[in-house]
Amino acid sequence: MTTPDGTLLDQTISRISGLDPDAVQAARQRQDCLTKPRGSLGVLEDISVQLAGLAGQCPPPLPEPATIAVFAGDHGVHAQAVTPWPQEVTGQMVSNFLAGGAVINAIAAETGSRVLVVDMGVAGELDPHPMLVSAKVRPGTADFTVEPAMTRDEAVRAIEVGIEVANRLIAKGTRLLVTGDMGIANTTPSAALIAVLTSTAPELVTGRGTGVDDDTMALKVASIQRGLQLHQPDSSDPVGVLTAVGGLEQAGLAGLILGASAARVPVLLDGVIAAAAALVAQALAPKSVSAMIAGHLSTEPGAAIALQQLGLRPLIELDLRLGEGSGGALAIGMVRSAVRILRDVASFDSAGVVDKEAANTEQLR
Amino acid sequence: MTTPDGTLLDQTISRISGLDPDAVQAARQRQDCLTKPRGSLGVLEDISVQLAGLAGQCPPPLPEPATIAVFAGDHGVHAQAVTPWPQEVTGQMVSNFLAGGAVINAIAAETGSRVLVVDMGVAGELDPHPMLVSAKVRPGTADFTVEPAMTRDEAVRAIEVGIEVANRLIAKGTRLLVTGDMGIANTTPSAALIAVLTSTAPELVTGRGTGVDDDTMALKVASIQRGLQLHQPDSSDPVGVLTAVGGLEQAGLAGLILGASAARVPVLLDGVIAAAAALVAQALAPKSVSAMIAGHLSTEPGAAIALQQLGLRPLIELDLRLGEGSGGALAIGMVRSAVRILRDVASFDSAGVVDKEAANTEQLR
């Protein structure tokens, strides 16, 4: 989408800035006055400081309501037998999300969150539904072992769909975005993206996805190796990497992250598909990392490698490998608790509690 | 408390049985039919199966509402300078809990849970409050480096207070108990209990608590070593171990766990104080472990060693070291999500989704 101000993608990237240093400092200082030993809330303190910096105010607003945006697409590389699941399952699971019968719906109910499904490129037709955004860029990617997964225009369009979804949700009141995904075979392009964007060998970032045996695993690694050999993607051109070996839901999620980041709204990442998308967002706009929170550590080896490059520590490590947004959505309550603590907990002074640190400092005088 | 049926403690222990094997099997089978790859929810699947076995039905009831029961007490070993915090902070923090100003109140608000404070033995007097149960067994323990922390009768009474709290809360509708604690210096008796009950050297289970320096750390380890040398507690007599080197809140929490377990209600453990109490409960009634869920892994080294002996995997690892029940309460949503998933997610059959495993099994025929 090009307007007189440039493309939506360019405009969005230009709006992304880092954390507000004053709000970060105010949040650190406030944490140190709360009635608890300094630092005793570990990673939760860091999250609260990040969200203050992102919002540019301390305390930051409570990040709710949350919307879990599930980006769905199919993958041409499925033809290489990289998974035992038939491709139709992508569309079948989308129907399951819309009917409220999937795992992500159960977690959404627990956290009071909304689920939105974005059809980025499911191979079959999907009936309209109030929870479904129809934004099919193409009916699945091409098989990247024989041709580029998509055209460059399609990659940009897919990213912009994600930006538009973020913009629309935020305009309607969403204050925490959670990345979700559905796409049979989508751990394969995710591993390819992570391999290129972290300069890591494919065999080190490729995992067993939703459960593949040794033979399928070998086919999966070999397919990624062939794709990378064929296209020789340039890691300094993230849109080019998406074009060559990416997926439509990864592109959409990269856009969602960029859109959230430009609007200074936090985005909770799910697993390895989100991590691949986050690397694309980071490559396009390094400061977009300021808006990212890693919900969990997927069992896929590429997830840990991607999170390391992003500098993110996952909130949950429970051997999850489902996708759908499940590992991101499970962390919603922790993120909200982190903000509530910064906002609501009494200070030593106000509660009349003796502060060890202050007492020690005085002793030293 | 002794009735014609024996003491409350004996009666409670006699009611504790393990998981119901039929409900466990039904839950495992149900998990394998849900619309997700088998095993893809990792530890959450195990939690759902455990709760089915505990309830004796599949799916189990949603474990809500939750109550965070914060057991508070003071510790004579404080005289050995094992912590930089003054003892008055125990009572001051109890007032903070009752005023709603502490971290545990913020997490309780996020999870829709109730906080109840149990005065097991705070040194000072506390004013009555609707959220406070006054059950002071004694105004703090004695210094275990010079005499037993309490008498054997007091230890039993403290455990029975915990059982009574569990019984009363469950009678009023609580379906998930979360262990909380407050007691300046209480990581010291916790380390002593863990050392004895896991047969580990004190220096390996002792940590820096809410933040002690090297000198204080050395005093802490030395105090535990002196206490153990003086009393030579027998690990096969858990009440004797509590009597010698325990704390009143650890005893109360052991009772809470036993009471929950006897009523087949799950109990979410917070950090190292809860882990020490759980070891006491396990020693008194090995099957009480069936009701335990480890909320998080405290940074205190004794926590990991205790959880290993309990056979529990923590849900959260975020470098928390606060206590109050914070690390247990943060996991409430995950436990509820685990049950919701088992209860609410559609099966492959009902959702019309192709099941890879079933497809593969048929191919093999």
Side-chain angles (χ1 to χ4, degrees):
Chain A
M1 196 176 80
T2 310
T3 70
D5 303 323
T7 66
L8 176 62
L9 176 55
D10 292 339
Q11 282 173 45
T12 303
I13 289 173
S14 73
R15 285 168 55 214
I16 294 173
S17 57
L19 301 178
D20 178 278
D22 293 343
V24 164
Q25 198 189 356
R28 279 266 170 245
Q29 284 174 351
R30 187 178 172 105
Q31 277 288 1
D32 285 350
C33 298
L34 302 182
T35 43
K36 60 173 180 53
R38 283 180 178 72
S40 61
L41 283 175
V43 179
L44 285 197
E45 296 193 16
D46 300 333
I47 297 286
S48 75
V49 170
Q50 178 188 350
L51 294 198
L54 185 67
Q57 64 185 89
C58 173
L62 204 57
E64 66 177 11
T67 300
I68 304 154
V70 183
F71 286 68
D74 274 309
H75 299 272
V77 73
H78 186 274
Q80 299 299 321
V82 293
T83 169
W85 293 85
Q87 195 170 62
E88 310 89 81
V89 171
T90 303
Q92 290 168 350
M93 283 303 296
V94 167
S95 301
N96 198 19
F97 300 149
L98 300 176
V103 167
I104 194 61
N105 303 100
I107 303 174
E110 172 57 34
T111 59
S113 309
R114 184 182 163 205
V115 174
L116 185 78
V117 182
V118 184
D119 177 8
M120 297 297 299
V122 178
E125 282 306 307
L126 298 170
D127 292 333
H129 189 282
M131 285 164 64
L132 177 68
V133 174
S134 294
K136 213 187 286 284
V137 174
R138 53 180 287 166
T141 56
D143 180 353
F144 69 61
T145 66
V146 293
E147 60 185 308
M150 61 190 99
T151 67
R152 196 171 178 96
D153 276 357
E154 286 166 342
V156 171
R157 195 149 19 111
I159 296 172
E160 292 190 339
V161 167
I163 295 172
E164 285 165 1
V165 168
N167 289 350
R168 226 175 311 156
L169 288 173
I170 293 165
K172 285 190 188 163
T174 289
R175 289 297 172 264
L176 177 63
L177 285 160
V178 182
T179 73
D181 66 272
M182 183 66 223
I184 294 300
N186 70 4
T187 58
T188 301
S190 296
L193 290 168
I194 293 170
V196 176
L197 294 170
T198 66
S199 308
T200 310
E203 59 271 27
L204 298 180
V205 297
T206 307
R208 286 170 187 272
T210 47
V212 311
D213 59 20
D214 289 348
D215 291 348
T216 310
M217 181 72 180
L219 284 171
K220 196 170 167 181
V221 172
S223 298
I224 296 169
Q225 287 168 332
R226 284 215 308 286
L228 298 187
Q229 220 150 19
L230 177 63
H231 305 294
Q232 301 282 334
D234 171 5
S235 64
S236 69
D237 171 21
V239 175
V241 183
L242 273 177
T243 301
V245 296
L248 295 160
E249 63 270 42
Q250 285 88 350
L253 286 171
L256 185 86
I257 293 166
L258 293 172
S261 172
R264 308 187 80 84
V265 165
V267 57
L268 246 173
L269 306 179
D270 185 26
V272 73
I273 284 78
L279 288 175
V280 173
Q282 181 190 37
L284 287 166
K287 287 185 174 169
S288 65
V289 176
S290 302
M292 301 179 194
I293 301 169
H296 87 117
L297 181 67
S298 162
T299 56
E300 289 288 291
I305 291 167
L307 291 184
Q308 193 177 16
Q309 176 154 319
L310 294 162
L312 299 177
R313 173 164 167 179
L315 294 178
I316 297 175
E317 296 187 35
L318 293 177
D319 297 345
L320 308 178
R321 51 183 177 79
L322 174 62
E324 301 183 5
S326 53
L330 281 166
I332 290 172
M334 281 195 267
V335 173
R336 289 201 294 233
S337 289
V339 173
R340 275 184 194 268
I341 289 164
L342 183 64
R343 188 189 69 176
D344 298 340
V345 171
S347 67
F348 283 105
D349 277 355
S350 71
V353 176
V354 175
D355 178 3
K356 171 199 66 149
E357 309 286 340
N360 289 355
T361 310
E362 271 167 38
Q363 280 169 8
L364 291 174
R365 275 178 198 155
Chain B
M1 196 178 78
T2 310
T3 69
D5 303 323
T7 66
L8 176 61
L9 176 55
D10 291 340
Q11 281 173 47
T12 303
I13 289 173
S14 73
R15 286 168 55 215
I16 295 172
S17 56
L19 301 178
D20 178 279
D22 293 342
V24 164
Q25 199 190 355
R28 279 266 169 244
Q29 284 174 352
R30 188 179 171 106
Q31 277 287 1
D32 285 350
C33 297
L34 303 182
T35 42
K36 59 175 181 53
R38 283 180 178 73
S40 61
L41 283 176
V43 179
L44 286 197
E45 296 193 16
D46 300 333
I47 296 287
S48 75
V49 170
Q50 179 188 351
L51 295 198
L54 185 65
Q57 63 185 90
C58 172
L62 205 56
E64 67 178 9
T67 300
I68 304 153
V70 183
F71 286 69
D74 275 308
H75 299 272
V77 73
H78 186 274
Q80 300 299 321
V82 293
T83 169
W85 293 85
Q87 195 171 61
E88 311 88 81
V89 171
T90 302
Q92 290 168 351
M93 283 302 297
V94 167
S95 301
N96 198 18
F97 300 148
L98 300 176
V103 168
I104 194 61
N105 303 100
I107 303 173
E110 172 57 33
T111 58
S113 309
R114 185 182 163 205
V115 174
L116 184 79
V117 182
V118 184
D119 176 7
M120 298 297 299
V122 178
E125 282 306 307
L126 299 170
D127 292 333
H129 189 282
M131 285 165 62
L132 178 68
V133 175
S134 294
K136 215 188 285 284
V137 174
R138 52 180 287 166
T141 55
D143 179 355
F144 69 61
T145 66
V146 294
E147 60 184 309
M150 60 190 100
T151 67
R152 196 172 178 97
D153 276 358
E154 286 166 343
V156 171
R157 196 148 20 111
I159 297 172
E160 292 190 340
V161 167
I163 295 172
E164 285 165 0
V165 168
N167 289 349
R168 225 176 311 157
L169 288 172
I170 293 165
K172 285 190 188 163
T174 289
R175 289 297 173 266
L176 177 63
L177 284 159
V178 182
T179 72
D181 66 272
M182 183 66 223
I184 294 301
N186 70 5
T187 59
T188 302
S190 296
L193 289 168
I194 293 170
V196 176
L197 294 170
T198 67
S199 307
T200 309
E203 59 272 27
L204 298 179
V205 297
T206 307
R208 286 170 186 273
T210 48
V212 310
D213 59 20
D214 289 347
D215 292 349
T216 310
M217 180 72 179
L219 285 172
K220 196 170 168 180
V221 172
S223 298
I224 296 169
Q225 287 168 332
R226 284 215 307 287
L228 298 187
Q229 220 151 19
L230 177 64
H231 305 294
Q232 302 281 333
D234 170 6
S235 64
S236 69
D237 171 22
V239 175
V241 183
L242 274 177
T243 302
V245 296
L248 294 160
E249 64 271 42
Q250 286 88 349
L253 287 170
L256 185 85
I257 294 166
L258 293 172
S261 173
R264 308 187 81 85
V265 165
V267 57
L268 247 172
L269 306 179
D270 185 26
V272 72
I273 283 77
L279 289 175
V280 172
Q282 181 190 37
L284 286 167
K287 288 184 174 168
S288 65
V289 175
S290 302
M292 300 179 194
I293 300 169
H296 86 117
L297 182 67
S298 161
T299 55
E300 289 288 290
I305 291 167
L307 291 184
Q308 194 177 15
Q309 176 155 317
L310 293 162
L312 299 176
R313 174 165 166 177
L315 295 178
I316 298 175
E317 296 187 34
L318 293 177
D319 297 346
L320 308 178
R321 51 182 176 80
L322 173 62
E324 300 183 5
S326 54
L330 280 166
I332 290 172
M334 280 193 268
V335 173
R336 289 201 293 233
S337 289
V339 172
R340 275 185 195 267
I341 290 164
L342 183 63
R343 188 189 69 176
D344 298 340
V345 170
S347 67
F348 284 104
D349 276 355
S350 71
V353 176
V354 175
D355 178 4
K356 172 199 65 148
E357 310 286 340
N360 289 356
T361 311
E362 271 168 38
Q363 280 168 8
L364 291 175
R365 276 178 196 155

